[in-house]
Amino acid sequence: MKTRRRYRKKAGQFVVAVQLDLDTAGFTYRKWGAEQRCKSGDWLVDNQGDVYTVDDEVFTRTYRRMGPGTYLKTTPVWAEVATEPGRVPTKEGRSHYDAGDYLVYNNENATDAYCIKAAKFEAMYEPAD
């Protein structure tokens, strides 16, 4: 892996989201090459047509409401380019990535990970330093 760098979301890169604030056991779905889990209180996110769920604690800590149903990620992320294919554990399940994809972490200590294709990451994020 290359050195991890700090990034921030580019202006205008908001998501549409709704909280699964229902009395439910949640649900499972397939995405990123593995089964993902969503539980009551988590968020269903539409990120420019890419739909997935985000853990409630993570969403509440990292996103801010812009208007009805629209949210912007306001906290920085730390990311590095994968040099070989692999998989990373996430709060929702597990995500598979290819060489050249970005491994992204919500925390500087490389925890709360996920992965994003390079073109999508570069369209959404910019270096924060």
Side-chain angles (χ1 to χ4, degrees):
M1 302 284 170
K2 291 185 178 179
T3 305
R4 209 171 291 130
R5 291 184 64 189
R6 185 173 181 227
Y7 292 86
R8 67 174 168 243
K9 208 69 173 287
K10 291 180 179 177
Q13 291 294 314
F14 66 90
V15 300
V16 175
V18 63
Q19 189 174 28
L20 186 62
D21 193 14
L22 302 169
D23 183 11
T24 177
F27 58 87
T28 60
Y29 60 100
R30 287 203 54 84
K31 190 162 183 97
W32 304 302
E35 186 172 278
Q36 310 299 315
R37 298 174 306 280
C38 175
K39 60 193 177 307
S40 179
D42 287 354
W43 291 78
L44 183 60
V45 175
D46 182 338
N47 186 356
Q48 300 178 15
D50 187 16
V51 177
Y52 49 88
T53 60
V54 176
D55 176 81
D56 176 46
E57 183 276 322
V58 172
F59 191 89
T60 302
R61 180 174 48 84
T62 62
Y63 283 84
R64 296 295 169 260
R65 186 175 189 263
M66 295 174 52
T70 57
Y71 297 83
L72 180 66
K73 188 166 193 166
T74 57
T75 59
V77 298
W78 288 262
E80 59 193 343
V81 177
T83 56
E84 57 187 42
R87 65 181 184 221
V88 63
T90 69
K91 290 190 181 261
E92 292 75 31
R94 191 177 42 197
S95 294
H96 294 259
Y97 58 86
D98 296 318
D101 291 351
Y102 277 81
L103 297 178
V104 184
Y105 307 92
N106 280 320
N107 303 315
E108 189 173 9
N109 66 355
T111 58
D112 193 10
Y114 56 99
C115 50
I116 303 177
K117 294 290 182 192
K120 184 168 187 166
F121 181 85
E122 291 163 1
M124 292 189 310
Y125 287 92
E126 61 191 4
D129 326 277

